[in-house]
Amino acid sequence: MSDPSIQSQLAAPLIDSDPIETGEWRESLASVLRATGPQRVRELMDVLANIAQSPEIGWHPARGTPYVNTIAVAQQPAFPGDLATEERLASLMRWNALAMVARANKAYGELGGHIASYASAADLFEVGFNHFFRGGAQGDLVFYQPHSAPGVYARAFLEGRLTEDDLAHYRQEITARQRGVRGLSSYPHPWLMPDFWQFPTGSMGIGPISSIYQARFMRYLKHRGLFDTSARRVWGVFGDGEMDEPESMSALTLAAREKLDNLTWVVNCNLQRLDGPVRGNGRIIDELEALFAGAGWRVIKLVWGSDWDGLFARDTEGALARAFSKTVDGQFQTFAAKDGRYNREHFFGQDPALAALAQGLTDEQIDRLKRGGHDLVKIHAAYQAAMETTGRPTVILAQTKKGYGMGEAGQGRMTTHQQKKLERDDLIAFRDRFKLPLSDEQAASLSFYRPSDDSAEMLYLHARRSALGGMAPIRRSDAAPVSVPPLSRYGEFALRAEGKEMSTTMAFVRMLTGLLKDPDLGPRVVPIVADEARTFGMANLFKQVGIYSFNGQTYEPEDIGSVLSYREATDGQILEEGISEAGAISSWASAATSYSVHGQAMLPFYIYYSMFGFQRVGDLIWAAADQRSRGFLLGATAGRTTLGGEGLQHQDGSSLLQASTVPNCRAYDPCFAGEFAVILDHGMRQMLERQEDVFYYVTLMNENYAQPSLPAGVEDDVIKGLYRYASHAPDKTPSNPKGKASATAKVRLVGSGAILREVIAASELLATDWGIEAEVWSATSFSELARDAREIERFNRLHPNDEARVSHVQRCLAGATPVVAATDYVRAWPQLIASYVDAPFTALGTDGFGRSDTRSALRRFFEIDRHHVVLAALTALRARGLVEASACAEAIARYGLSVDDPAAWLA
Ligand SMILES: Cc1ncc(C[n+]2csc(CCOP(=O)(O)OP(=O)(O)O)c2C)c(N)n1
């Protein structure tokens, strides 16, 4: 009985009312094990468990297993590599990674960087790189723990993909560029290193959830017959602290439910996070085991290295497992930080059986007893088992030491996470510890080390990578362009709407339905919803294109006879993510990066309550931007007053402002279906035909109103963000003789989204009631206007001798005519253009919390309705002496405007 888990089960301390009987049972089981092996024991246990779980007995199995390796020594496959060479390579990676961080920090104390994380993860990475992570066009998708990036760079350096100069410019991309080298970004950032990193993981939790949805999307592509992804796997190496993030946990059951056996997570359980232990008073590995197993994953505990095998073999009483079960992580951390002598006294010294086990070991040997995640052979066995697992994803819980090998200076220290400096003695000790071929001087001066090209290590390293299909990580962007159908084919109804009533959401759904029918583009469209398809009038698509389900539909849907029937299918096209915005946006990012990850351009449309987008999952959107996503995000039920009745938590007044902060996001707030159609067409061409790395955020409203035909020739200006919609000449005999306006009184009213209609109405009131001419401008995007104006302003500043350029917004709103801009969003959204407009600029908006009331009550309350627009226009003209002073007071009275400060209850 050399297997530690069986020993400990047999020896587990029990509350025992009849030890003699218990002994007989245990002996029976042990004899079955001896006679017929573990499979028979499992069968018997299944039978007994079935009986014991009956309600009368009410037995529940313990959720955890002992604190030992899941893979028994006997089940461990032979290590297929050259262990000594791989260990030497791992040591070199460790050194170069350490040197990179410490050098950057030495040169510029302000630069961040981490040594301890990679020190703990190096072996986990190296086994992946040498044996599992497949490279090449159809290689594996690997999510690298972000603060272990130096280790990945260190490997790329040895592989010849990065130069010494690159390493010397770690975390100095800007300086590097000035010196003609590329420099290395702090964490995995495809935006900054577009041919290297595939997935941004720098924000904790994003890597884990993204990896699940990438694995799921691979299945989607395959099941829909678009692309065979069967040979690819997803690997994720994450921190145990990172598992605290809600995103890390939120899709575990999806991965199991959808049987994603193409997914393996390696959780680097170094038992520490930034501030201290992950579970000082508990055991994170036990906690995660229960959680993952409960969610349906295969859990492989990789706790102890090979040198423990002998100890377990001699430990016939299960003393080790018993001691582990009483040791919490805070204590394990202390054991990691202390030397062999301390461990002999405090761990092995706690009971005579343990002390006897340690008797043959020197203090030095005790010090070197490896945890599982530092043992290449054990790691290989765990990865191999994960590869062979079918029908469910696997998590490997690998116990390591944070700052492994950093000795006194860092191993297991509370402060190790942020350590970036090592003293001369520490560096020399590190050199000795890992037997690095460096002189004292080379170690002390943090020289990088690369063996000669014909060395055994380098030949081995290259041979391994070529056997695995090529280098990793590598990011590609060579998908074939997809042709976009002419707008007239699916959007004519919107361009020539001729006053038909509809909402922009309805127009979108109709256009989407049209696009889905296009033979080229249609199959590449990925509609995504988070349990709101009915809200947006998309239920007809359920039947038409089906909802993706890896196992089809195994039930008869209640509405089977209906044309809107809820149809799930293996080749279904819609991704219905349930109530998980984090999941839906991760699905969107998977589809939006498919052009790069799989060389297959897809076009995702994720439509959602706009309030639950940037505000709710903004960081995931930021990560999608980093990985150069291409697709459409549709913020529906948008506008703080247009979504009537829903109140504070639902009514969105800020998503566009948030979108404007994402550099490669093109944000639009169209009022009319025709405008939307032009934006859609332009966006698709930009992303699918010209293959630019941008994505679109477009707000959609649920308010039905008459949609005018799009005026001829405004398409370019719709894209630029502003076009002249109409102009209302003043009435000759305005109804309000008292507030007389000068003949030159004129204003420019700018509106966006549904509030453009209030602006149009205001222009009519200005003409009829006040005899004032008003131009009406439709602002489809304040952020696009601002982007263009910003660039031009900079150009002019830096090219003082060139003829000054003029931005679109300056051209449109040139001169001194006062501008009043009104939107359904916070004032800061239209104010994005204020500094580029020479004329007086008034912004009306919906700052504050939403309220549940009717649209008109809300618009009046937020002071963005037509009457408030009129008052703002009069006020601006009055300031210039163009209307009589009495006009404003008169307008307040005439339109019944409240002078109470809404801010008093907006706060
Ligand atoms: C969302 C987010 N919050 C905080 C951080 C800062 N941070 C970076 S690493 C880290 C600790 C990570 O601990 P763990 O996941 O256990 O990894 P280890 O370094 O121990 O391997 C923290 C808090 C971050 N990167 N992202």
Side-chain angles (χ1 to χ4, degrees), residues 730-737 767-771:
D731 264 20
K732 292 268 170 337
T733 50
S735 63
N736 181 20
T768 54
D769 289 2
W770 307 92

Side-chain angles (χ1 to χ4, degrees), residues 435-512:
K435 301 189 181 67
L436 293 156
L438 298 168
S439 67
D440 284 4
E441 259 341 285
Q442 284 170 318
S445 64
L446 295 162
S447 298
F448 295 125
Y449 183 80
R450 175 153 55 186
S452 66
D453 287 348
D454 57 357
S455 64
E457 291 90 348
M458 295 293 263
L459 294 174
Y460 185 86
L461 173 135
H462 285 292
R464 290 313 308 147
R465 283 319 307 165
S466 81
L468 287 161
M471 300 303 183
I474 192 161
R475 182 182 176 278
R476 296 164 185 272
S477 52
D478 45 5
V482 176
S483 65
V484 172
L487 179 48
S488 56
R489 208 180 289 163
Y490 62 92
E492 193 66 17
F493 77 95
L495 296 173
R496 316 251 159 280
E498 293 171 350
K500 268 196 258 8
E501 273 215 359
M502 68 186 116
S503 68
T504 46
T505 307
M506 286 159 69
F508 158 70
V509 174
R510 195 164 154 191
M511 282 182 241
L512 180 69

Side-chain angles (χ1 to χ4, degrees), residues 115-128:
I115 299 172
S117 301
Y118 179 69
S120 68
D123 300 301
L124 299 171
F125 278 121
E126 279 303 294
V127 173

Side-chain angles (χ1 to χ4, degrees), residues 10 12-26:
L10 296 180
L14 299 166
I15 302 166
D16 202 339
S17 54
D18 188 347
I20 296 178
E21 189 184 38
T22 308
E24 286 165 10
W25 278 76
R26 276 170 45 185

Side-chain angles (χ1 to χ4, degrees), residues 117 145 147 202-204 239-242 245 270 272 402 417:
S117 301
Q145 198 187 13
H147 35 291
S203 175
M204 305 273 95
D240 47 358
E242 183 168 13
E245 290 287 1
N270 57 29
Q272 290 179 244
K402 193 149 179 172
H417 185 85

